[in-house]
Amino acid sequence: MRILITGSNGLLGQKLVKQCLKNGLNFIATSKGGNRNPECPTLNYLELDVSNVLELNQVFQFYYPTHVIHTAAITNVDYCEINKEECDLINIESTRFLIKLSNQYKTHFQFLSTDFVFDGFKGDYSEEDEVNPLSHYGKSKVEGELLLINGDFDNWSIVRTSLVYGEGYNLSRSNIVLWALDSLKSEKKINVVDDQFRSPTYVEDLAWGCVEILQKEEKGTFHLSGPEIISVIDLVYRVADYFELSTTNILPIHSFDLKEKATRPLKTGFDIKKSLNKLGYKSLPLEKALERLIK
Ligand SMILES: NC(=O)c1ccc[n+]([C@@H]2O[C@H](COP(=O)([O-])OP(=O)(O)OC[C@H]3O[C@@H](n4cnc5c(N)ncnc54)[C@H](OP(=O)(O)O)[C@@H]3O)[C@@H](O)[C@H]2O)c1
């Protein structure tokens, strides 16, 4: 196996590097700009902007990956809503080119997608449920998925995940647990939505699942998330409880009153039975994951 990871400076990318090192798997980690993950050996890192087709061609020519895990994306949902062309370039066009190369080099292509492909009216979504994205970010991920689903290339997997949390080095954005923890520790008042439901996902479990799909030579779509569906505000309350922090600064707010640029689906959350059965996927309950996280 020779695994090419895109977006290796990101939260998931860093844990994929960790997973490859732990399992002794041959990998090349790539991201935009320099290596910001001190756990990633310099020899395993290559600077790669996924919108640069010349660089993409070169990395395939020199490295001949047997597998690609494509995590690189513009992941800020409101930024995508305002900067649609840039979002499409990275989230769709770069994916299109990587799929073309994967087809050419007979490489397995794994695409990271999201619960935001759904409209959030049903909740507890399985892999078979119909997509209907509400935001431009969600639409860009659906487009990426469709390039695989409707294409003539069949060596692929799609991993959909939800509200990923965990720690990492020099991350360009925070995540719900780190944000809640930092804010509550510094006694800052925080507005937290009480009408959005998700399946919060510990990033280490997600990374394990992504690599397991490759090792088991599985194909198709998989939902990889935490084991429960809870509201975002309950998640924040539980973080506060776990770390014995006051909850008085947690202010409930409805999504509508937040006036964010992009519309979020209200009730997502995943049915993960397929991943449990086919991959032997295990995901930690929130408090167990928090225990790991502080260690
Ligand atoms: N986090 C979640 O809650 C969540 C939920 C559902 C789905 N997902 C999907 O899961 C994947 C991984 O998410 P994540 O949380 O690890 O996101 P992340 O922390 O934002 O990581 C994405 C990485 O992609 C890099 N990147 C952006 N544009 C690039 C480009 N043109 N060329 C190369 N690299 C580029 C970013 O670089 P910089 O760090 O330099 O900006 C970042 O390191 C994404 O595809 C995301 O859409 C995430």
Side-chain angles (χ1 to χ4, degrees):
M1 270 178 127
R2 288 181 305 281
I3 304 174
L4 168 67
I5 302 166
T6 70
S8 67
N9 282 330
L11 179 61
L12 173 60
Q14 294 195 13
K15 302 307 164 185
L16 289 169
V17 165
K18 187 173 169 186
Q19 195 64 31
C20 288
L21 288 169
K22 191 170 147 195
N23 292 349
L25 298 172
N26 192 338
F27 71 97
I28 185 93
T30 69
S31 223
K32 203 175 52 179
N35 181 14
R36 302 202 308 266
N37 174 10
E39 282 183 15
C40 179
T42 311
L43 279 176
N44 289 78
Y45 185 81
L46 191 71
E47 198 169 314
L48 172 74
D49 182 331
V50 292
S51 63
N52 185 326
V53 294
L54 192 71
E55 285 180 15
L56 287 176
N57 267 313
Q58 282 171 346
V59 77
F60 270 74
Q61 269 165 21
F62 289 120
Y63 190 66
Y64 271 91
T66 57
H67 299 79
V68 171
I69 307 182
H70 183 38
T71 82
I74 302 193
T75 54
N76 181 316
V77 181
D78 292 317
Y79 185 88
C80 287
E81 206 63 32
I82 307 163
N83 302 279
K84 294 191 170 83
E85 277 182 27
E86 191 185 341
C87 167
D88 290 352
L89 176 69
I90 305 303
N91 293 6
I92 307 172
E93 295 314 316
S94 303
T95 305
R96 190 192 308 277
F97 199 74
L98 272 162
I99 294 171
K100 181 174 169 268
L101 285 170
S102 299
N103 197 355
Q104 197 179 323
Y105 283 79
K106 304 203 182 323
T107 303
H108 179 97
F109 182 83
Q110 184 175 93
F111 179 62
L112 264 295
S113 189
T114 171
D115 53 346
F116 281 27
V117 298
F118 298 113
D119 57 22
F121 294 120
K122 171 183 172 281
D124 197 17
Y125 289 100
S126 82
E127 288 81 352
E128 279 73 44
D129 280 315
E130 220 171 284
V131 300
N132 184 29
L134 303 179
S135 63
H136 195 78
Y137 166 76
K139 285 180 191 154
S140 74
K141 287 291 182 175
V142 168
E143 288 297 315
E145 291 190 4
L146 289 177
L147 292 172
L148 295 166
I149 294 165
N150 295 336
D152 49 10
F153 167 70
D154 65 0
N155 192 10
W156 56 263
S157 49
I158 292 169
V159 172
R160 294 195 189 123
T161 189
S162 168
L163 202 61
V164 184
Y165 64 91
E167 38 65 55
Y169 300 99
N170 308 305
L171 296 172
S172 53
R173 63 180 194 136
S174 188
N175 56 72
I176 182 78
V177 167
L178 295 187
W179 170 75
L181 198 52
D182 286 349
S183 312
L184 295 171
K185 272 187 186 163
S186 57
E187 295 180 5
K188 225 167 75 186
K189 290 202 184 309
I190 49 173
N191 290 323
V192 186
V193 282
D194 58 6
D195 54 356
Q196 289 183 27
F197 292 77
R198 303 283 179 259
S199 293
T201 306
Y202 183 42
V203 66
E204 306 256 359
D205 296 334
L206 172 62
W208 182 92
C210 291
V211 172
E212 194 63 12
I213 289 172
L214 308 189
Q215 291 192 303
K216 284 208 160 72
E217 297 182 12
E218 288 287 351
K219 291 176 187 175
T221 303
F222 289 87
H223 284 180
L224 296 181
S225 72
E228 58 181 332
I229 300 174
I230 56 170
S231 70
V232 176
I233 199 159
D234 278 344
L235 167 66
V236 172
Y237 279 131
R238 280 167 63 180
V239 170
D241 280 353
Y242 185 83
F243 292 102
E244 295 176 354
L245 295 162
S246 163
T247 55
T248 51
N249 288 320
I250 302 172
L251 310 175
I253 188 166
H254 296 324
S255 302
F256 179 79
D257 296 322
L258 262 186
K259 307 266 178 253
E260 290 173 303
K261 294 281 176 213
T263 308
R264 270 79 171 162
L266 287 184
K267 193 165 188 232
T268 67
F270 281 157
D271 171 343
I272 54 171
K273 281 198 274 307
K274 178 180 173 186
S275 297
L276 301 179
N277 295 334
K278 282 207 152 186
L279 306 175
Y281 175 72
K282 291 190 193 82
S283 50
L284 288 176
L286 178 67
E287 282 72 14
K288 284 270 172 232
L290 295 178
E291 193 183 316
R292 289 266 179 93
L293 204 146
I294 49 163
K295 276 186 192 155

